[in-house]
Amino acid sequence: METLVSIILTIAGIYLLLGLLFAILFLFKGITKVDEAAIDSSWGFRLLILPGTICFWPVLLRKWIKGQNKAT
Amino acid sequence: MAVSYKPVLWNRQKKKYDQILWMGIALILGCFAIFEFLLHPTITIETLIIRATAFTAIILLHIILMIGPLCRLDKRFLPLLYNRRHLGVSMFLIALVHAAFCIIQFHALGDTNPIASVFLSNPNYQEISQYPFQTLGFFALIILMLMAVSSHDFWLNNLSPKMWKQLHMSVYIAYALLILHIALGTLQYEKDLFYTILLWSGFLTISGLHLVAGWKTRSQLRAEQNALKQEGYFEVALLEEISEKRAKAVFVDGQNIAIFKYDGKVSAVSNICKHQMGPLGEGKIVDGCITCPWHGYQYYPGNGQSPPPFKEKLATYRVKIIKDKIWINPSPFPEGTAVEPAIINHG
């Protein structure tokens, strides 16, 4: 049980850490590529979606990559 | 260019809603704290915070869950629905304070990681009376957190309305977990019947309201469907069967019809291209026009007319959407007649 809990918490920790790293990059650069309504958005708005970006980063990463492919 | 996102779209009603909300929260917290302090004068401030935030959060969750069915039963409750997201986020923040104080008070003083300690400190997973109820609260909090962080419109647009809706419907899983969290936790130690009565009467109210609202919605749906049948409509497809900018071809009452889904709308035209009778339903919408898969002849989905200078025209049909189902009236309009598309409502 201890090992299982430890493994799950480590995986969750890594996922959230990757999410945080992604979020920093995404909120500076990627957000405007994914959603054009975010082009002139304030930093208050970007800060508000930071926790969600950390949680749902794979969805946004997929959209970002898809957007890049479309652009090229 | 789309309108730019704002952190919160404040207006007079929303400000008023939030003022009443936070006054209500302060009132519940304050009243509970006073009563608790009078009943248990030796209570520590940490325990008082844990209990007061738990009580306030579960009361708010009940109010949140009541708003939906109440609005379906009586439109006068609609103002409560108007800013329910703020109510949900407020409830999550209060639940978070409760969880943080619990973890600090009960799990942060040992050598084990405090979060791991929630799962490991009480291993009686097979006993109901001593079940580690905090784990249930932990999972409920994760669900409420995912809902709170995805409450901005940005997430509705970027997770897709379907995924967003599914995520936010999991509030019922969180509610079930919290009922068990309380029943297997506090109620096992609390001698006062007040909390038991309060919890189960809340549960029965929520269940009852949902059942009555569900019954009313079903009756309305049946009435609408019967009315459509009488007007000559046929149920032909589910919305999810048709991909965006694509179609489904159906034979109804001797008519060969292509139903197109595009830009949040659904339109129906004859499935036969005027050029060489190509199957338009196997084509797709390109630049806003239905495009025949055989030779690229194009038609507007709303009126069946080819874009100028071309003159080809298709018969059009009336479409309605009830719940997630598409209904078609197979009586064709004269070729090129504009018909209002059915609007897809994601709610």
Side-chain angles (χ1 to χ4, degrees):
Chain A
M1 180 74 173
E2 267 189 68
T3 320
L4 182 69
V5 170
S6 168
I7 290 171
I8 292 170
L9 286 182
T10 307
I11 292 171
I14 292 170
Y15 177 87
L16 293 177
L17 191 68
L18 287 173
L20 181 65
L21 294 174
F22 171 81
I24 294 166
L25 202 66
F26 179 78
L27 295 179
F28 270 101
K29 222 179 155 194
I31 190 166
T32 53
K33 310 261 191 291
V34 164
D35 191 333
E36 67 168 18
I39 287 173
D40 292 323
S41 61
S42 67
W43 276 101
F45 158 72
R46 292 179 196 213
L47 218 60
L48 201 68
I49 64 160
L50 173 72
T53 307
I54 295 171
C55 293
F56 299 110
W57 66 268
V59 179
L60 297 173
L61 178 63
R62 218 183 99 215
K63 284 192 89 171
W64 192 359
I65 292 170
K66 238 174 153 181
Q68 296 277 38
N69 289 346
K70 259 187 200 169
T72 53
Chain B
M1 172 74 93
V3 176
S4 182
Y5 290 118
K6 298 273 179 291
V8 182
L9 286 169
W10 289 111
N11 59 30
R12 210 165 62 85
Q13 284 96 329
K14 279 192 181 177
K15 281 182 183 166
K16 200 174 161 192
Y17 191 108
D18 282 4
Q19 276 168 3
I20 294 170
L21 167 65
W22 279 96
M23 268 159 49
I25 288 172
L27 194 72
I28 301 171
L29 277 171
C31 288
F32 184 88
I34 290 167
F35 278 113
E36 195 71 5
F37 194 71
L38 289 174
L39 289 171
H40 311 282
T42 55
I43 194 169
T44 64
I45 186 73
E46 292 88 351
T47 309
L48 190 64
I49 291 171
I50 287 171
R51 295 187 132 220
T53 47
F55 183 80
T56 309
I58 198 72
I59 293 287
L60 289 179
L61 182 58
H62 277 82
I63 294 171
I64 290 166
L65 292 176
M66 276 193 262
I67 290 174
L70 280 175
C71 289
R72 277 188 279 159
L73 289 170
D74 191 331
K75 295 214 181 313
R76 279 175 296 179
F77 287 103
L78 277 172
L80 290 176
L81 190 69
Y82 185 56
N83 210 14
R84 190 170 51 171
R85 289 186 211 184
H86 286 199
L87 186 49
V89 173
S90 306
M91 183 268 296
F92 163 70
L93 291 174
I94 293 166
L96 186 66
V97 173
H98 166 76
F101 270 84
C102 283
I103 289 173
I104 291 167
Q105 179 145 338
F106 303 118
H107 300 284
L109 302 173
D111 297 333
T112 318
N113 173 327
I115 305 288
S117 170
V118 172
F119 295 91
L120 299 172
S121 61
N122 175 3
N124 299 316
Y125 282 91
Q126 271 131 15
E127 287 179 44
I128 287 183
S129 65
Q130 288 178 11
Y131 190 85
F133 64 95
Q134 291 178 346
T135 54
L136 302 168
F138 182 86
F139 286 122
L141 189 74
I142 297 287
I143 294 174
L144 297 177
M145 180 196 76
L146 292 176
M147 289 173 59
V149 300
S150 63
S151 61
H152 196 280
D153 274 347
F154 171 82
W155 296 108
L156 181 67
N157 296 333
N158 285 285
L159 292 179
S160 83
K162 193 180 171 187
M163 188 177 164
W164 192 88
K165 178 98 181 163
Q166 280 170 349
L167 175 66
H168 284 246
M169 287 302 277
S170 61
V171 67
Y172 292 101
I173 299 172
Y175 180 60
L177 287 168
L178 287 172
I179 291 286
L180 289 171
H181 172 69
I182 299 164
L184 298 173
T186 308
L187 295 193
Q188 298 293 317
Y189 310 104
E190 192 62 58
K191 291 188 180 74
D192 197 341
L193 267 180
F194 172 73
Y195 292 108
T196 311
I197 294 168
L198 198 64
L199 180 72
W200 295 118
S201 54
F203 176 72
L204 287 175
T205 308
I206 297 285
S207 312
L209 274 174
H210 277 79
L211 283 173
V212 175
W215 175 79
K216 191 186 171 191
T217 308
R218 238 176 109 151
S219 310
Q220 280 175 340
L221 200 67
R222 271 205 199 125
E224 270 181 83
Q225 287 173 342
N226 287 338
L228 279 183
K229 275 180 194 163
Q230 280 182 352
E231 287 174 36
Y233 281 83
F234 291 81
E235 184 189 320
V236 286
L238 288 169
L239 266 177
E240 62 183 28
E241 279 178 57
I242 308 174
S243 308
E244 177 65 13
K245 300 202 191 302
R246 296 278 180 173
K248 179 182 177 178
V250 292
F251 275 98
V252 191
D253 209 20
Q255 296 289 315
N256 190 358
I257 304 171
I259 307 159
F260 280 89
K261 183 163 105 179
Y262 59 102
D263 305 332
K265 295 177 276 190
V266 175
S267 290
V269 296
S270 164
N271 189 30
I272 301 162
C273 180
K274 286 288 174 181
H275 175 222
Q276 284 187 2
M277 299 178 77
L280 289 172
E282 290 174 25
K284 60 181 174 181
I285 296 203
V286 179
D287 297 331
C289 289
I290 296 167
T291 305
C292 182
W294 283 6
H295 305 99
Y297 269 57
Q298 291 194 305
Y299 307 89
Y300 289 120
N303 58 18
Q305 297 176 12
S306 290
F310 303 101
K311 304 278 186 206
E312 286 78 8
K313 288 175 186 170
L314 300 169
T316 51
Y317 300 86
R318 278 172 289 177
V319 188
K320 292 217 170 164
I321 299 170
I322 303 243
K323 225 153 158 60
D324 296 329
K325 290 171 182 152
I326 300 170
W327 291 67
I328 291 282
N329 189 322
S331 305
F333 280 108
E335 292 172 351
T337 306
V339 175
E340 200 64 36
I343 305 294
I344 300 170
N345 181 1
H346 290 294

